Amino acid sequence: MEIEYTDASSLETIATDACARIDADAYKINFLLAYELPTQSLIRNALLDVQEKAQQWAADECPENLYFNHGQYKVGGVENIINELKEKPSSNRALYSLIDQKTIMDSGDSPIPSFMIFQSILDNGTLYCNVYLRALEVSKFLRINLEEIRLNIEKISQSTLTFSKVRLVILACRAHHVPNFNSLEKPNLDLMSQYQILKMMKEDRTEFVRNIQQMAEVQTVLSSESIKHIKELIEGEWQETNKPRLISILDSIETKIDELIHLRKQHSHDERVNQLSSQVSDKLRELATEFSE
């Protein structure tokens, strides 16, 4: 079957179309996106709302606020594509692969890239870019992936290679639509020491509550460490009447997070995972409300 490319002027069209094709809280297997875009229009129309995040994901060194990034796996990848296309535009090796088989087999339940392969071919003034993802979240993470792809294409265009249009194909083995999805960024509380958390609790309760609400977003990676820090602070420092209530909620959150971590080692997509994840989010929102009162 020959791929039919949909005309688009910017990546915004792709992001909007993809989100509309999958209902909230639903998924599709072998999800295919195929678009043709004018090179200069694609390059000029960055997805500004996620540009900084895409740059963090593409950086050679992983920023502190991410569990991992793509750049650490693909150092020199775009340069390889440029060099291959200069020497042989039809090369089948103008690509980068983010992870190898050993990384996959040794990963256990540790986070690894879903963005697997980026490959390009230059043919008759058209740059073909094929992307394969083992999993894709369309409401939020696709925008970051698209902007990262745009950065790749911009870098290729800045070389001596010339092309007037881009044909972009994205294939995701499983694409899902998860409202309020957290794009694998560490919650701010997980980046803070216990002293920093205490200082925020005392001096800026509104910001503290906002950070708890951030943790309540749908997370694919979770840790109970910051919850343990908060519970220790409540047990030692808190003098208000809702202290028992807070400790009870924190105990419940810690237990549920640890259960979820264990369950995710056995199942990637399972109704029990979804239910437990929702329970964790609900309890975190309950905690935020309790601190607000």
Side-chain angles (χ1 to χ4, degrees):
M1 183 185 73
E2 188 172 346
I3 292 176
E4 294 185 6
Y5 298 90
T6 301
D7 289 336
S9 59
S10 72
L11 297 176
E12 188 65 56
T13 299
I14 304 175
T16 302
D17 288 355
C19 201
R21 283 173 53 188
I22 304 179
D23 294 335
D25 300 314
Y27 68 90
K28 288 187 177 180
I29 305 295
N30 287 343
F31 186 66
L32 182 67
L33 299 166
Y35 289 82
E36 181 176 300
L37 306 94
T39 301
Q40 290 308 311
S41 179
L42 183 155
I43 291 171
R44 282 196 294 262
N45 291 292
L47 295 175
L48 296 176
D49 61 312
V50 294
Q51 188 171 52
E52 183 179 353
K53 285 184 171 61
Q55 290 168 343
Q56 290 177 345
W57 278 97
D60 288 348
E61 293 186 13
C62 182
E64 185 184 11
N65 63 308
L66 298 179
Y67 292 100
F68 67 91
N69 79 339
H70 297 151
Q72 72 187 80
Y73 289 92
K74 68 173 181 70
V75 174
V78 180
E79 289 78 5
N80 173 68
I81 289 172
I82 292 170
N83 291 333
E84 281 289 322
L85 293 179
K86 283 180 178 179
E87 293 181 14
K88 187 168 63 171
S90 61
S91 173
N92 296 320
R93 300 187 183 188
L95 61 83
Y96 62 69
S97 177
L98 271 72
I99 49 179
D100 59 19
Q101 188 62 31
K102 186 177 186 305
T103 302
I104 295 169
M105 293 175 66
D106 293 346
S107 64
D109 197 49
S110 301
I112 56 174
S114 292
F115 192 132
M116 303 285 287
I117 296 172
F118 180 94
Q119 181 174 9
S120 295
I121 289 176
L122 190 57
D123 183 70
N124 197 27
T126 298
L127 183 71
Y128 289 80
C129 294
N130 295 341
V131 176
Y132 177 74
L133 301 103
R134 62 184 179 85
L136 172 66
E137 196 290 310
V138 298
S139 72
K140 197 168 183 179
F141 216 112
L142 174 59
R143 298 184 66 83
I144 297 172
N145 291 146
L146 286 170
E147 178 59 18
E148 190 175 350
I149 290 167
R150 192 199 66 80
L151 291 170
N152 286 349
I153 295 170
E154 181 178 35
K155 193 168 186 178
I156 295 170
S157 75
Q158 290 170 347
S159 70
T160 56
L161 299 167
T162 59
F163 46 95
S164 61
K165 59 185 177 181
V166 174
R167 284 185 169 179
L168 174 63
V169 172
I170 298 174
L171 175 62
C173 184
R174 178 193 292 266
H176 51 288
H177 183 170
V178 184
N180 301 317
F181 181 78
N182 178 285
S183 50
L184 286 171
E185 290 186 73
K186 296 178 183 178
N188 291 335
L189 290 174
D190 284 355
L191 297 171
M192 300 169 67
S193 67
Q194 193 170 37
Y195 171 76
Q196 290 172 318
I197 293 174
L198 176 61
K199 191 171 186 292
M200 185 187 296
M201 285 171 62
K202 289 183 174 181
E203 298 178 6
D204 194 345
R205 184 73 63 83
T206 300
E207 182 65 17
F208 178 63
V209 168
R210 190 178 296 116
N211 277 280
I212 295 175
Q213 291 169 336
Q214 181 202 26
M215 287 190 72
E217 295 175 357
V218 178
Q219 308 272 350
T220 54
V221 182
L222 275 173
S223 168
S224 59
E225 281 305 304
S226 57
I227 296 300
K228 292 174 182 175
H229 286 329
I230 294 170
K231 189 174 75 171
E232 290 173 2
L233 292 170
I234 295 300
E235 289 172 338
E237 302 277 344
W238 202 255
Q239 303 299 324
E240 298 182 24
T241 56
N242 65 344
K243 180 173 182 174
R245 172 71 177 154
L246 285 170
I247 291 174
S248 174
I249 296 172
L250 287 161
D251 278 337
S252 178
I253 293 171
E254 182 182 343
T255 299
K256 289 182 183 299
I257 287 177
D258 290 342
E259 287 178 6
L260 183 57
I261 291 170
H262 177 73
L263 186 58
R264 279 182 171 160
K265 290 179 179 179
Q266 303 168 347
H267 304 279
S268 295
H269 300 277
D270 183 272
E271 186 57 33
R272 289 174 297 168
V273 171
N274 295 336
Q275 289 175 353
L276 196 50
S277 180
S278 294
Q279 290 171 15
V280 170
S281 295
D282 289 344
K283 279 293 180 182
L284 284 163
R285 283 190 283 268
E286 184 180 349
L287 180 67
T289 299
E290 192 68 29
F291 273 112
S292 298
E293 295 177 351

